Amino acid sequence: MKKFLLIPVLFFSSLLAFARDFNFTLEPTAGLRYGHIGEYVILIDSPYDKDILSYLEWDIQSDILCGLKADLNWKYFSIETSIKSSLPKTSGQMQDSDWMNITIPNLPDKFLYKTHYTSHNNEIDNHFNANAALNFKVPVPDPFGFSFFGKIEYDSIKMSGYKGSGWHGSTKIYKEGFIIYPYYLDGTPESWNSSYPVISYTLESIFTWLGTTISYNFTPAMKLNLSGAVSIYTYATGLDNHFSSESTSVDYLDLMNGFFSSFYGNLNFKYVLPSAGTISISSSVFYQSLITGPDYQKASSQKYFYDSDKSTVVMGGSDSFIFELSVGYCFSF
């Protein structure tokens, strides 16, 4: 009988010993983001060295972030998850530039200047980010630490351009055809004062990260972490809405991807408070080189995008650079 009574005792003793190896932390965060997101229309078979037909630069200025991180640690392994979102706010400018003359063959290079330019007030309508990572800690002597990690990340942001002004270059006769003059010489001025958006851009991205983290413990209460990662494969969709009257509004959809095209680095400092909890301060840099893919379009009144002749002439593209600074407070359980 005593042997049977020992079984549950041993079971719960083993469970408690196993549970002692686990550590769970929860960290509310707040921060700011700065940078820009680039939206491209690229001429596939450009007759010139230049192939950018259109470039839109969307500012990220003082983007206010709120988030939550959760880490589950067990011996040499840990699972990290986080979510964060931006508050809707005005965020600098959206600048739209076109080089329309590159569609005209056999022109001297002097004509490959910017032909159209507009600028609008940029507003972040919404932004959401979620990621999950698996870490493996390599046993190394104190005070150093070293780990490998794999992470999958989803990011979605929608921005809209309001009001603003710009110039469209005038069309002139050149030899037996036509050419567009620079916007700043003889451009036709335009302005928008409506409270409704002139244009919007929604970018959704998925990243598959592989990276490493190096850490150094100055004291038992002070720790510095340096992380770097590359996205093995990045997939993104860009939805551009050009608003006008219902019959003329046009939507463009870009399906883009790239290998080894996205990179980020993170510097994190943690200080364990004498009472309870841990203060965490982080700065990070994200860079995505230009990724491209087919471009589809439809009238806003239509339901489905279609693969028109345009998709064989141009392709869509996107790049970005983001700097982020955040602070958090960690609770350990």
Side-chain angles (χ1 to χ4, degrees):
M1 186 61 151
K2 291 181 179 179
K3 292 181 179 180
F4 287 107
L5 291 175
L6 284 174
I7 293 176
V9 174
L10 291 172
F11 173 77
F12 285 109
S13 298
S14 301
L15 189 62
L16 288 172
F18 182 74
R20 290 192 191 101
D21 293 327
F22 279 94
N23 173 257
F24 179 70
T25 63
L26 202 61
E27 180 185 347
T29 62
L32 296 172
R33 295 201 318 161
Y34 298 87
H36 69 270
I37 295 174
E39 177 190 357
Y40 292 80
V41 179
I42 298 171
L43 194 63
I44 294 176
D45 292 317
S46 174
Y48 308 100
D49 291 337
K50 296 181 179 181
D51 59 0
I52 297 175
L53 185 63
S54 180
Y55 173 67
L56 294 81
E57 183 173 291
W58 301 81
D59 286 343
I60 305 292
Q61 291 190 3
S62 304
D63 184 11
I64 302 172
L65 295 169
C66 298
L68 184 67
K69 296 180 180 179
D71 296 349
L72 179 63
N73 299 275
W74 179 70
K75 293 188 176 181
Y76 298 116
F77 296 92
S78 66
I79 297 174
E80 301 178 3
T81 61
S82 73
I83 57 172
K84 57 187 175 184
S85 182
S86 299
L87 300 179
K89 67 179 293 292
T90 301
S91 182
Q93 297 290 306
M94 188 285 287
Q95 300 177 77
D96 184 354
S97 302
D98 298 328
W99 292 262
M100 302 304 294
N101 284 340
I102 70 169
T103 62
I104 306 171
N106 304 318
L107 290 177
D109 288 347
K110 67 179 182 179
F111 290 114
L112 305 183
Y113 41 67
K114 188 186 297 186
T115 58
H116 301 75
Y117 173 77
T118 61
S119 178
H120 305 274
N121 298 331
N122 183 33
E123 293 197 12
I124 296 176
D125 299 320
N126 57 69
H127 171 232
F128 176 77
N129 179 283
N131 63 75
L134 176 64
N135 296 268
F136 174 71
K137 301 172 184 176
V138 179
V140 294
D142 289 334
F144 296 97
F146 186 78
S147 64
F148 296 98
F149 64 86
K151 179 166 67 172
I152 186 166
E153 178 180 3
Y154 169 79
D155 189 89
S156 173
I157 185 169
K158 181 183 179 184
M159 300 165 289
S160 296
Y162 290 81
K163 300 183 178 180
S165 59
W167 299 264
H168 281 187
S170 300
T171 302
K172 305 289 184 179
I173 296 177
Y174 176 75
K175 293 186 176 180
E176 296 179 356
F178 297 90
I179 194 171
I180 300 175
Y181 272 37
Y183 73 94
Y184 51 83
L185 286 183
D186 193 21
T188 302
E190 292 186 290
S191 63
W192 299 266
N193 294 304
S194 172
S195 58
Y196 297 100
V198 178
I199 183 174
S200 72
Y201 185 57
T202 302
L203 181 66
E204 294 185 272
S205 306
I206 296 175
F207 306 94
T208 55
W209 300 103
L210 283 181
T212 61
T213 299
I214 301 172
S215 61
Y216 182 81
N217 296 300
F218 295 97
T219 69
M222 297 173 60
K223 184 177 183 180
L224 187 68
N225 299 306
L226 177 63
S227 300
V230 57
S231 178
I232 304 302
Y233 178 70
T234 300
Y235 179 79
T237 63
L239 177 61
D240 181 307
N241 308 104
H242 277 62
F243 299 107
S244 184
S245 63
E246 185 176 348
S247 59
T248 58
S249 294
V250 181
D251 302 334
Y252 300 93
L253 177 65
D254 301 328
L255 305 180
M256 304 162 287
N257 68 89
F259 291 91
F260 300 97
S261 57
S262 303
F263 310 87
Y264 88 84
N266 178 272
L267 184 65
N268 172 259
F269 175 77
K270 289 187 176 181
Y271 177 69
V272 180
L273 299 174
S275 53
T278 301
I279 294 292
S280 176
I281 301 174
S282 295
S283 62
S284 63
V285 174
F286 167 81
Y287 169 72
Q288 178 188 291
S289 61
L290 178 63
I291 60 174
T292 60
D295 174 90
Y296 303 93
Q297 71 177 69
K298 70 176 181 67
S300 297
S301 57
Q302 294 176 312
K303 186 175 182 180
Y304 300 106
F305 287 90
Y306 58 91
D307 185 4
S308 67
D309 293 339
K310 182 176 179 293
S311 65
T312 63
V313 176
V314 301
M315 58 184 176
S318 176
D319 66 5
S320 57
F321 177 83
I322 303 292
F323 172 76
E324 184 177 321
L325 183 65
S326 64
V327 60
Y329 186 84
C330 304
F331 299 90
S332 296
F333 303 91

